[in-house]
PDB file of all heavy atoms in Angstrom:
ATOM      1  N   GLY A 307     -34.758  43.729 -20.244  1.00 97.00           N
ATOM      2  CA  GLY A 307     -35.305  42.987 -19.094  1.00 97.00           C
ATOM      3  C   GLY A 307     -36.235  41.887 -19.566  1.00 97.00           C
ATOM      4  O   GLY A 307     -37.204  41.534 -18.901  1.00 97.00           O
ATOM      5  N   SER A 308     -35.950  41.354 -20.758  1.00 97.00           N
ATOM      6  CA  SER A 308     -36.836  40.336 -21.354  1.00 97.00           C
ATOM      7  C   SER A 308     -36.161  38.968 -21.323  1.00 97.00           C
ATOM      8  O   SER A 308     -35.028  38.838 -20.860  1.00 97.00           O
ATOM      9  CB  SER A 308     -37.127  40.725 -22.798  1.00 97.00           C
ATOM     10  OG  SER A 308     -35.892  40.876 -23.496  1.00 97.00           O
ATOM     11  N   LEU A 309     -36.848  37.983 -21.824  1.00 97.00           N
ATOM     12  CA  LEU A 309     -36.273  36.636 -21.910  1.00 97.00           C
ATOM     13  C   LEU A 309     -36.575  36.068 -23.292  1.00 97.00           C
ATOM     14  O   LEU A 309     -37.735  36.041 -23.713  1.00 97.00           O
ATOM     15  CB  LEU A 309     -36.867  35.745 -20.804  1.00 97.00           C
ATOM     16  CG  LEU A 309     -36.212  34.398 -20.564  1.00 97.00           C
ATOM     17  CD1 LEU A 309     -34.708  34.503 -20.347  1.00 97.00           C
ATOM     18  CD2 LEU A 309     -36.834  33.724 -19.340  1.00 97.00           C
ATOM     19  N   SER A 310     -35.521  35.636 -23.965  1.00 97.00           N
ATOM     20  CA  SER A 310     -35.629  35.134 -25.332  1.00 97.00           C
ATOM     21  C   SER A 310     -36.770  34.120 -25.489  1.00 97.00           C
ATOM     22  O   SER A 310     -36.978  33.278 -24.605  1.00 97.00           O
ATOM     23  CB  SER A 310     -34.297  34.472 -25.694  1.00 97.00           C
ATOM     24  OG  SER A 310     -34.478  33.520 -26.704  1.00 97.00           O
ATOM     25  N   PRO A 311     -37.491  34.182 -26.621  1.00 97.00           N
ATOM     26  CA  PRO A 311     -38.580  33.202 -26.833  1.00 97.00           C
ATOM     27  C   PRO A 311     -38.069  31.762 -26.931  1.00 97.00           C
ATOM     28  O   PRO A 311     -38.862  30.816 -26.852  1.00 97.00           O
ATOM     29  CB  PRO A 311     -39.220  33.647 -28.153  1.00 97.00           C
ATOM     30  CG  PRO A 311     -38.330  34.683 -28.740  1.00 97.00           C
ATOM     31  CD  PRO A 311     -37.407  35.192 -27.681  1.00 97.00           C
ATOM     32  N   THR A 312     -36.740  31.600 -27.081  1.00 96.00           N
ATOM     33  CA  THR A 312     -36.230  30.216 -27.116  1.00 96.00           C
ATOM     34  C   THR A 312     -36.311  29.571 -25.734  1.00 96.00           C
ATOM     35  O   THR A 312     -36.187  28.359 -25.599  1.00 96.00           O
ATOM     36  CB  THR A 312     -34.753  30.169 -27.585  1.00 96.00           C
ATOM     37  OG1 THR A 312     -33.985  31.017 -26.723  1.00 96.00           O
ATOM     38  CG2 THR A 312     -34.589  30.608 -29.025  1.00 96.00           C
ATOM     39  N   ILE A 313     -36.510  30.407 -24.700  1.00 97.00           N
ATOM     40  CA  ILE A 313     -36.686  29.844 -23.350  1.00 97.00           C
ATOM     41  C   ILE A 313     -38.177  29.628 -23.164  1.00 97.00           C
ATOM     42  O   ILE A 313     -38.940  30.578 -22.956  1.00 97.00           O
ATOM     43  CB  ILE A 313     -36.114  30.795 -22.259  1.00 97.00           C
ATOM     44  CG1 ILE A 313     -34.679  31.215 -22.603  1.00 97.00           C
ATOM     45  CG2 ILE A 313     -36.191  30.176 -20.867  1.00 97.00           C
ATOM     46  CD1 ILE A 313     -33.692  30.086 -22.795  1.00 97.00           C
ATOM     47  N   THR A 314     -38.562  28.373 -23.259  1.00 97.00           N
ATOM     48  CA  THR A 314     -39.996  28.086 -23.338  1.00 97.00           C
ATOM     49  C   THR A 314     -40.575  27.510 -22.044  1.00 97.00           C
ATOM     50  O   THR A 314     -41.787  27.490 -21.872  1.00 97.00           O
ATOM     51  CB  THR A 314     -40.257  27.062 -24.468  1.00 97.00           C
ATOM     52  OG1 THR A 314     -39.406  25.943 -24.227  1.00 97.00           O
ATOM     53  CG2 THR A 314     -39.962  27.653 -25.837  1.00 97.00           C
ATOM     54  N   LEU A 315     -39.709  27.020 -21.155  1.00 96.00           N
ATOM     55  CA  LEU A 315     -40.260  26.354 -19.962  1.00 96.00           C
ATOM     56  C   LEU A 315     -40.857  27.399 -19.013  1.00 96.00           C
ATOM     57  O   LEU A 315     -40.164  28.338 -18.617  1.00 96.00           O
ATOM     58  CB  LEU A 315     -39.164  25.554 -19.256  1.00 96.00           C
ATOM     59  CG  LEU A 315     -38.584  24.405 -20.091  1.00 96.00           C
ATOM     60  CD1 LEU A 315     -37.266  23.903 -19.516  1.00 96.00           C
ATOM     61  CD2 LEU A 315     -39.604  23.267 -20.186  1.00 96.00           C
ATOM     62  N   PRO A 316     -42.138  27.231 -18.647  1.00 95.00           N
ATOM     63  CA  PRO A 316     -42.815  28.281 -17.864  1.00 95.00           C
ATOM     64  C   PRO A 316     -42.120  28.562 -16.525  1.00 95.00           C
ATOM     65  O   PRO A 316     -41.958  29.723 -16.152  1.00 95.00           O
ATOM     66  CB  PRO A 316     -44.232  27.713 -17.645  1.00 95.00           C
ATOM     67  CG  PRO A 316     -44.369  26.574 -18.588  1.00 95.00           C
ATOM     68  CD  PRO A 316     -43.021  26.107 -18.988  1.00 95.00           C
ATOM     69  N   GLY A 317     -41.684  27.506 -15.820  1.00 94.00           N
ATOM     70  CA  GLY A 317     -41.071  27.681 -14.496  1.00 94.00           C
ATOM     71  C   GLY A 317     -39.824  28.552 -14.575  1.00 94.00           C
ATOM     72  O   GLY A 317     -39.632  29.498 -13.794  1.00 94.00           O
ATOM     73  N   ILE A 318     -39.012  28.246 -15.538  1.00 96.00           N
ATOM     74  CA  ILE A 318     -37.750  28.955 -15.710  1.00 96.00           C
ATOM     75  C   ILE A 318     -38.032  30.406 -16.122  1.00 96.00           C
ATOM     76  O   ILE A 318     -37.398  31.338 -15.631  1.00 96.00           O
ATOM     77  CB  ILE A 318     -36.871  28.172 -16.730  1.00 96.00           C
ATOM     78  CG1 ILE A 318     -35.396  28.444 -16.571  1.00 96.00           C
ATOM     79  CG2 ILE A 318     -37.188  28.468 -18.118  1.00 96.00           C
ATOM     80  CD1 ILE A 318     -34.549  27.527 -17.474  1.00 96.00           C
ATOM     81  N   ARG A 319     -39.004  30.612 -16.975  1.00 97.00           N
ATOM     82  CA  ARG A 319     -39.326  31.980 -17.441  1.00 97.00           C
ATOM     83  C   ARG A 319     -39.745  32.856 -16.261  1.00 97.00           C
ATOM     84  O   ARG A 319     -39.219  33.932 -16.057  1.00 97.00           O
ATOM     85  CB  ARG A 319     -40.468  31.955 -18.481  1.00 97.00           C
ATOM     86  CG  ARG A 319     -40.055  31.460 -19.857  1.00 97.00           C
ATOM     87  CD  ARG A 319     -41.118  31.807 -20.912  1.00 97.00           C
ATOM     88  NE  ARG A 319     -41.135  33.238 -21.209  1.00 97.00           N
ATOM     89  CZ  ARG A 319     -40.326  33.838 -22.079  1.00 97.00           C
ATOM     90  NH1 ARG A 319     -39.457  33.120 -22.768  1.00 97.00           N
ATOM     91  NH2 ARG A 319     -40.394  35.138 -22.274  1.00 97.00           N
ATOM     92  N   THR A 320     -40.694  32.338 -15.452  1.00 97.00           N
ATOM     93  CA  THR A 320     -41.182  33.153 -14.336  1.00 97.00           C
ATOM     94  C   THR A 320     -40.039  33.474 -13.382  1.00 97.00           C
ATOM     95  O   THR A 320     -39.877  34.619 -12.955  1.00 97.00           O
ATOM     96  CB  THR A 320     -42.281  32.365 -13.561  1.00 97.00           C
ATOM     97  OG1 THR A 320     -43.097  31.717 -14.516  1.00 97.00           O
ATOM     98  CG2 THR A 320     -43.085  33.246 -12.659  1.00 97.00           C
ATOM     99  N   SER A 321     -39.244  32.464 -13.047  1.00 97.00           N
ATOM    100  CA  SER A 321     -38.226  32.706 -12.017  1.00 97.00           C
ATOM    101  C   SER A 321     -37.141  33.661 -12.513  1.00 97.00           C
ATOM    102  O   SER A 321     -36.650  34.475 -11.746  1.00 97.00           O
ATOM    103  CB  SER A 321     -37.622  31.389 -11.536  1.00 97.00           C
ATOM    104  OG  SER A 321     -36.902  30.809 -12.580  1.00 97.00           O
TER     105      SER A 321
END
Side-chain angles (χ1 to χ4, degrees):
S308 56
L309 191 53
S310 156
T312 56
I313 309 303
T314 53
L315 297 164
I318 204 173
R319 285 195 72 84
T320 319
S321 67

